[in-house]
Amino acid sequence: MLAALLALALAGCAADRMHSEGLSLIDEGKLEEGLSKLEQAKQADPGNANFKKDWILQRDALTARLLRDAEKERSEQRWDAALQRYARVLTLDRGNIAARQASNDITAERRQSARVDDAALQYGKGDLDAASNTIARVLVENPSHVRALALRSQIIQATAQNSLLNGAALNLKGKKPVTLQFRDANLRMVMEAIAKTTGLNVMFDKDVKTDLKVTIFVRDTPVEEAIDLILMQTQTAKRILSENSILIYADTEAKSREYAELKIRRFAMTNADPKNVMAMVKTMTKTKDIFIDEKTNSLVVRDTPQIIRMIEKLIVAMDQPEPEVMLEVDVMEVSRDRALALGIDLPTTFGTSLTSMTLDQLAALGRGDFVSTTGVTVTAKKTDSDVNTLATPRIRVRNKEKAKFLVGDRLPVISTAAVPGSTATTGVGAVYNTSVQYVEVGIKIEAEPTIYADGEVAIRMALEVSSAGAPNADAAKTGTIAYTIGTRSVNTVLRLKDGQTEVIGGLIQDEDTSAATRVPGLGDIPILGRLFGKQTDVKNKKEIIMSITPRIIRNNRQVDSDLLEMWSGTENNMRFGNRQASSSSASSASSAAAAPAVAAPAAAPAPTGSRLARPAVPAPAPVPAPVNLLAPVPMLAPAAEPAADTAVPEQDPKPAQ
C-alpha cells in the first residue's frame, strides 16, 4: 500500500515537472516541443483538469498559427510548403477537418493553376478561343479563382465577347474578309458563292423557301458577319455543325426547338439565395428548364449556349458576399445616491391600557402602578454611494439583420388564477392555474445596420436600461409574483461614416425626496426645530451615456463593368454579346493573322453608301475605281487587296431604284 502511494506521489511530481517544462518551452518559442511536454503531463495525470486545459489551449493556438501560415503559402502557390504545414497540423490534431480538407483541395488548385498557365500561353499566342475555353474549365470548378478571373477579363477586353463554353464554332481565322454586291439575288445562289470562295460547307433545311431574295452591299466584312446579315434579311438562322459546316433553317419557334443546341449547366452559389436567383433568371432570360438544389445551394439550367453565358454573368453579378459591420457599443450608467437622516425621534402618542378591575382597585392605583413604553431616538445618519455600470459589447452583424445584446437578468413573473369548481357535484374545489413568464431586466440593445456603398452605415437602434424593484406584496397574497420595473429607453436612427463615433446622452433621472416627522409648533422653529423632530433627505441621480462606432468589415464589392451591363439581343432572338463588337473583334483577329506587312490597294470598291463594316486593321486607303453595278461581272471575283474579296451576282442585276 505504501509503495502504491509512493508511486502515485512520484508520478504526480513528474507530471508537474513536465507541465512546467512544457510551459517554459512555449515561452521560449519552442512550441511543438512544449506542446509535447504538456501532452505527456496530461497523460501522466489524466485527472488533472488544469493540465488538460493548458494542453488544449496551446494546441489550438499552435494549430491556428500553422493554418494561417499554410493559407499564406497556398495564396502564394507554394503548395509543398503548405502541405507540410497541414501535415504538422494533422500530427497535432488528427481530427482537424480544415487541414484535411485543405490538403485535398491543393490537388485541385494545382490542376487549376496549371490550366491557367496554359491559358496564359494560349492568350499570348493569340489563340483567344482556346484560352477562353481553358479558363472556363477552371471557373466551372472554382468561380472565385483570382488569376482565372483576371485572365478572363483580359480575354474579354481583347475579344469584346466572352466565348465561355461556346460549343461548336466556325474556324474562320484564316479567312479573308469579303466584299459582297448582290441585288435581289436568290439566297441559295448567294450562299453557294460564299461556299465556293471560303470553303464553307452550307446545307439547307427542307423547309427553307427557294424564292428568298437577298440584297446586300458590304465591303471588307468578316465571313460570319456577312452570313448573319444575309440570314437576318431572310428570317433564317444557322446551326453550326462543325468548324467549317453550317445548316440554314427557317427562324421559327418550331425549327428553333428542333435545331437549337442546348446545354446543361450547374451554377454553385456561395452567397446568393437560389430562389431569388431563379426568379431573376426566369424574368431576364425566359428560361423554363431550371431546377434548384437547396442542399448544395446551386441552380441547374438547360438552355442554349448563348443564354447559359448570359445566366452565368447574371449569377456572378448577384452572388456577392453580404456586407458586414462591427458595432462597438459602450454603455455606462452612473448612479449617485445621497441620503441624510438627522434629528430626534420623539414619541408622538401616549396611552395606557387598563385591565378589568373594580372601582376600589382603580381608586387604590398610585404613581408607581403606571409604566411608560415610549422612548426617544436620536438619529444622525448620512449615506453616500456611487455605482457605475459599464457594458462594452462588440457586435458583428450582417447587412439589414437585427442584432440583440442583453446584460442583466430574466425575472420570472408568476401569475395564479383560480377556476371555481363544484364541491357538491364533482367533489373538487377551486382549481389554480399558474403561468410563468420571464421579463428581461438590465441593459438591452437592439441594432439593425444598413451598409451603403459609399462607406456609411445607417443604424436603427433601440437602447433600454431597466431595473426591478421588490416583488409586489399585495399580489403575493394571491400567489402572484410581480415586480415594479423602472425603464429608460431610447429609439433612434443614425447614419455614420465608417469609424465615426456618436455619443448619446441626456438620459438623466434626478429624484429628490424630503420627509420630516416633527412635534407641531416646536418642530417648525428654525435650527432648534431639529431637536423636536426627525428629517430625512434623499437625492438620487442616474444618467446613461452610450457611444456607438461602426466599423465596416466587408462592404459591397464593386462589380466589373462587363457584369454591370451586357448585350442581350432582341426580344425574339436573345443572344449574349454585341453582334457588331463581336464581329469587329473577330475581323481584327483574323486580319492581324492574315494581312501582309504592306497592303495593296483594292481593285473593286463597294459603293460608299452601302458600306456596313470598317476595315479590321489600319491599312492604306484603297484607291477606288469606277464600278457600274448594272454591268455583269464575275461572281466573287477576288480583289487585289489580300484582305478583301469582292463578289457580284452571276445574273444581270436589276436596275437600282
Side-chain angles (χ1 to χ4, degrees), residues 327 397 401-404 445-449 459-462 548:
L327 300 179
V397 58
E401 296 287 346
K402 183 177 292 186
K404 184 177 179 180
I445 301 172
E446 291 184 359
E448 182 179 351
I459 307 171
R460 184 180 300 275
M461 171 161 287
I548 181 170

Side-chain angles (χ1 to χ4, degrees), residues 33-175:
E33 296 178 10
L35 189 62
S36 177
K37 288 288 186 181
L38 292 180
E39 185 175 10
Q40 293 176 13
K42 178 181 71 72
Q43 293 175 352
D45 190 359
N48 194 311
N50 289 329
F51 290 176
K52 186 175 183 180
K53 180 197 69 174
D54 291 340
W55 174 76
I56 292 176
L57 291 176
Q58 296 298 332
R59 183 199 65 180
D60 292 346
L62 180 56
T63 54
R65 176 179 175 181
L66 291 174
L67 287 174
R68 287 195 301 268
D69 294 342
E71 288 296 325
K72 182 179 179 181
E73 302 287 355
R74 285 179 64 184
S75 63
E76 297 174 357
Q77 297 188 3
R78 294 199 290 266
W79 316 115
D80 294 334
L83 284 175
Q84 291 178 0
R85 295 189 185 275
Y86 287 131
R88 292 171 61 187
V89 172
L90 292 174
T91 301
L92 298 174
D93 184 6
R94 298 180 182 87
N96 194 292
I97 299 176
R100 194 176 302 277
Q101 182 64 37
S103 300
N104 298 331
D105 292 343
I106 285 180
T107 303
E109 290 181 4
R110 278 181 163 173
R111 181 178 64 252
Q112 295 163 5
S113 180
R115 287 178 178 173
V116 173
D117 294 339
D118 295 341
L121 293 176
Q122 294 166 348
Y123 174 76
K125 294 178 181 179
D127 193 354
L128 302 181
D129 290 339
S132 182
N133 289 330
T134 304
I135 286 296
R137 297 174 61 189
V138 176
L139 293 177
V140 167
E141 296 181 3
N142 184 5
S144 59
H145 197 286
V146 178
R147 291 181 58 211
L149 291 173
L151 184 56
R152 186 188 67 170
S153 299
Q154 297 178 12
I155 295 173
I156 292 174
Q157 293 176 1
T159 61
Q161 180 186 16
N162 181 15
S163 58
L164 179 62
L165 299 177
N166 193 30
L170 293 176
N171 185 12
L172 300 174
K173 290 185 178 180
K175 307 298 181 182

Side-chain angles (χ1 to χ4, degrees), residues 216-279:
I216 183 171
F217 296 92
V218 294
R219 181 182 180 188
D220 296 341
T221 304
V223 178
E224 190 168 5
E225 181 181 349
I227 294 175
D228 291 340
L229 293 174
I230 294 171
L231 300 180
M232 187 186 302
Q233 287 188 50
T234 58
Q235 294 184 353
T236 54
K238 73 176 186 296
R239 172 181 172 180
I240 301 176
L241 303 177
S242 64
E243 62 181 14
N244 64 340
S245 300
I246 62 173
L247 171 68
I248 297 177
Y249 58 91
D251 191 7
T252 62
E253 184 177 355
K255 288 296 180 180
S256 297
R257 288 198 302 265
E258 181 179 351
Y259 286 112
E261 288 279 359
L262 301 181
K263 181 180 292 185
I264 297 177
R265 174 76 184 274
R266 176 180 175 272
F267 297 97
M269 288 163 285
T270 305
N271 305 284
D273 184 358
K275 293 182 180 179
N276 294 336
V277 174
M278 183 181 70

